[in-house]
Amino acid sequence: MRKNKKVKRSGGSYNKSVTIATEAAKSNQDEYLVWCFDKVDNDGCFRFSHEAMDTQEVLEKIIIYGKRKWKDIEKDTHDHTNKRKHHNLTDFERYSDAAKERVRKLQMVEDLDRIFSLAFNNTMRIIGLRIGKEFHPIWYDKDHKFYPSAK
């Protein structure tokens, strides 16, 4: 039997509930993250480009994540309050204006339930689509400005 989870997506005219098939996500929990660089955005302030990033640090983190299973990645925390540091970015209202612009320009509003953020350090994030065991990087956010913290 397939179990589903309702998630509220919000953001101006984008308020709607979506149903995420959690069985598919659960079935990939024991799988290693697989990197797929087919959706990279090379434009805008969050462009995924060697000119915008510390390529050595990013490459090292990509290699480390490629050796990890999704169930372990999802358990990662970065503080003592047990908050997750990787997460789905479903609340469109919390996106920065620049991030909203890129999502709209790439016509990805319908993909909000699959947009996932991987933390590489306290501020650096790689944001992309999580599709099963695959992670498709789209944006590089070196200062945590794509989906700013509520702090």
Side-chain angles (χ1 to χ4, degrees):
M1 185 188 312
R2 186 178 188 123
K3 295 181 182 177
N4 295 316
K5 177 181 177 183
K6 285 210 173 210
V7 176
K8 179 146 178 130
R9 279 198 308 206
S10 62
S13 63
Y14 302 104
N15 287 335
K16 82 179 206 181
S17 290
V18 295
T19 302
I20 300 172
T22 56
E23 283 302 310
K26 286 181 183 176
S27 68
N28 293 307
Q29 293 298 89
D30 267 335
E31 300 281 346
Y32 289 95
L33 180 151
V34 174
W35 292 92
C36 298
F37 293 92
D38 57 333
K39 301 184 184 309
V40 169
D41 183 4
N42 290 312
D43 200 14
C45 63
F46 299 110
R47 70 187 181 280
F48 195 95
S49 162
H50 70 280
E51 294 132 359
M53 63 179 70
D54 176 347
T55 52
Q56 182 174 345
E57 181 179 6
V58 171
L59 181 58
E60 288 171 3
K61 297 285 187 176
I62 286 172
I63 291 168
I64 290 168
Y65 276 113
K67 295 177 181 180
R68 300 189 65 209
K69 293 182 179 183
W70 278 105
K71 68 180 179 182
D72 299 321
I73 292 168
E74 288 186 351
K75 290 179 188 174
D76 286 348
T77 61
H78 69 289
D79 59 26
H80 300 291
T81 60
N82 201 25
K83 293 181 182 176
R84 292 187 345 210
K85 80 181 201 183
H86 314 292
H87 53 278
N88 287 89
L89 307 182
T90 58
D91 186 356
F92 197 67
E93 278 300 308
R94 291 198 42 210
Y95 283 52
S96 67
D97 290 341
K100 288 177 187 175
E101 178 185 325
R102 293 311 301 161
V103 169
R104 288 182 183 123
K105 178 138 181 126
L106 297 176
Q107 300 176 349
M108 296 184 67
V109 173
E110 293 301 316
D111 291 316
L112 290 179
D113 56 329
R114 299 188 308 171
I115 295 178
F116 195 83
S117 170
L118 284 175
F120 276 29
N121 64 29
N122 284 337
T123 60
M124 187 188 345
R125 305 284 187 266
I126 300 295
I127 299 159
L129 293 181
R130 180 177 175 187
I131 304 171
K133 66 181 179 180
E134 299 173 351
F135 184 71
H136 300 256
I138 302 171
W139 299 290
Y140 172 72
D141 179 10
K142 77 173 190 175
D143 297 316
H144 202 310
K145 292 183 178 177
F146 189 94
Y147 195 84
S149 297
K151 292 180 181 181

